[in-house]
Amino acid sequence: MLVNRYIRQIKLLGEKDHAKLSNLTVGIIGCGGLGSNSALLCAQLGVKKLILMDRDKVSQTDFNRQQFSESDLGRAKVEALKEKIGKTNSNVLVEAHFEQFGEGKSKGAFRNANVILDGTDNFSTRVAINRFCLQNKIPWIFASALKFEGMLSTILPLKSACFECWAIRPKNELSCEDAGIMNTAVAAIAALQVQELINLICFNKPNYANKLLRVDLRSGLFESIALERSTKCPTCSKKR
């Protein structure tokens, strides 16, 4: 037992708020750049349990930004990440699902999550996450990273604008393969995502509910855009 493991963060949070993290179950959908970085930050925080889901295997192109080693090449990302989390903090329970969110019984894996972190890279999966979280009243933190840029927003079911209130399906959805990506963008957005989790769980004051944060690390831009629930939203307007 490493009795001093969390002492530095307890100095900031206090025992009571630290205990909220140690009882937390976090779902992470997508275990690539954002998901693998956010998962390890959560493990270092000492959350109780991580539920991981991803359908991909580790490839050479992942190494510039994702938390995998050369020895992981060809392994399922969720299994490689589970092993790394175990070496980082053996007290954290890890449940790994090698599948696509939204297929089969995959959604059931997250019904007991207290919060879900988005590590995906496509619009359709985020819509599925949004609708699942709305139905099950689970807060989730949207995040994306591409090139030198990133975005972040916290969605509180029926309390804030949901993803579909403001997100527009892109005509040509760019991927990291198409546009490229810097590890600095991934690391920065993952850190902001996990800090937003801390703000939500420990202080009940997320910075980016009803806001969209846009970051451009190359230009130094940090822009917060106000969001509102839409009366025409195909999903949350039906729940009013």
Side-chain angles (χ1 to χ4, degrees):
M1 181 67 175
L2 304 177
V3 295
N4 292 323
R5 178 189 288 272
Y6 306 114
I7 194 167
R8 297 292 187 265
Q9 69 192 45
I10 290 173
K11 285 182 179 293
L12 287 170
L13 300 175
E15 294 280 0
K16 183 177 179 181
D17 284 329
H18 171 71
K20 294 176 183 177
L21 295 177
S22 63
N23 288 304
L24 191 66
T25 296
V26 181
I28 298 182
I29 301 174
C31 295
L34 289 171
S36 64
N37 278 274
S38 292
L40 287 171
L41 287 170
C42 286
Q44 289 174 323
L45 284 177
V47 302
K48 179 181 180 180
K49 183 177 181 179
L50 288 167
I51 305 169
L52 311 176
M53 184 171 287
D54 195 295
R55 65 178 180 181
D56 291 337
K57 296 182 179 181
V58 178
S59 68
Q60 292 182 36
T61 59
D62 298 328
F63 293 141
N64 81 310
R65 68 197 182 282
Q66 301 184 19
Q67 293 294 326
F68 301 111
S69 303
E70 292 177 3
S71 59
D72 294 322
L73 191 63
R75 297 181 66 192
K77 289 183 179 179
V78 288
E79 292 300 334
L81 186 57
K82 179 179 180 178
E83 182 179 296
K84 186 153 190 172
I85 290 167
K87 293 177 180 178
T88 300
N89 189 343
S90 59
N91 295 320
V92 178
L93 301 173
V94 183
E95 184 180 312
H97 299 270
F98 181 54
E99 56 187 295
Q100 170 70 32
F101 180 80
E103 294 181 357
K105 298 180 180 180
S106 63
K107 294 180 181 179
F110 295 98
R111 293 195 189 280
N112 293 322
N114 301 115
V115 62
I116 289 176
L117 303 185
D118 169 29
T120 65
D121 60 2
N122 68 85
F123 185 89
S124 297
T125 304
R126 287 173 176 134
V127 168
I129 294 170
N130 187 61
R131 295 181 180 185
F132 170 80
C133 287
L134 184 66
Q135 181 180 1
N136 292 277
K137 297 181 174 59
I138 300 172
W140 70 286
I141 303 174
F142 156 78
S144 69
L146 194 68
K147 301 179 182 179
F148 295 92
E149 303 166 11
M151 293 190 292
L152 183 80
S153 185
T154 297
I155 291 114
L156 308 175
L158 302 180
K159 296 180 181 180
S160 73
C162 80
F163 178 75
E164 292 171 85
C165 284
W166 52 267
I168 301 172
R169 183 183 293 273
K171 292 181 180 179
N172 297 302
E173 193 166 31
L174 292 176
S175 66
C176 297
E177 181 180 358
D178 300 321
I181 187 166
M182 291 301 296
N183 61 353
T184 51
V186 169
I189 297 301
L192 287 165
Q193 186 180 50
V194 176
Q195 180 60 51
E196 189 71 343
L197 178 148
I198 296 167
N199 294 341
L200 172 65
I201 299 302
C202 294
F203 311 130
N204 197 28
K205 290 182 179 180
N207 288 325
Y208 298 108
N210 286 320
K211 294 178 183 177
L212 176 66
L213 174 67
R214 291 181 61 242
V215 176
D216 184 335
L217 293 180
R218 188 176 181 187
S219 68
L221 170 72
F222 278 70
E223 179 184 20
S224 180
I225 302 167
L227 302 173
E228 293 182 357
R229 288 186 68 186
S230 171
T231 57
K232 297 180 180 180
C233 175
T235 299
C236 77
S237 65
K238 299 175 184 178
K239 304 288 185 179
R240 290 177 186 274

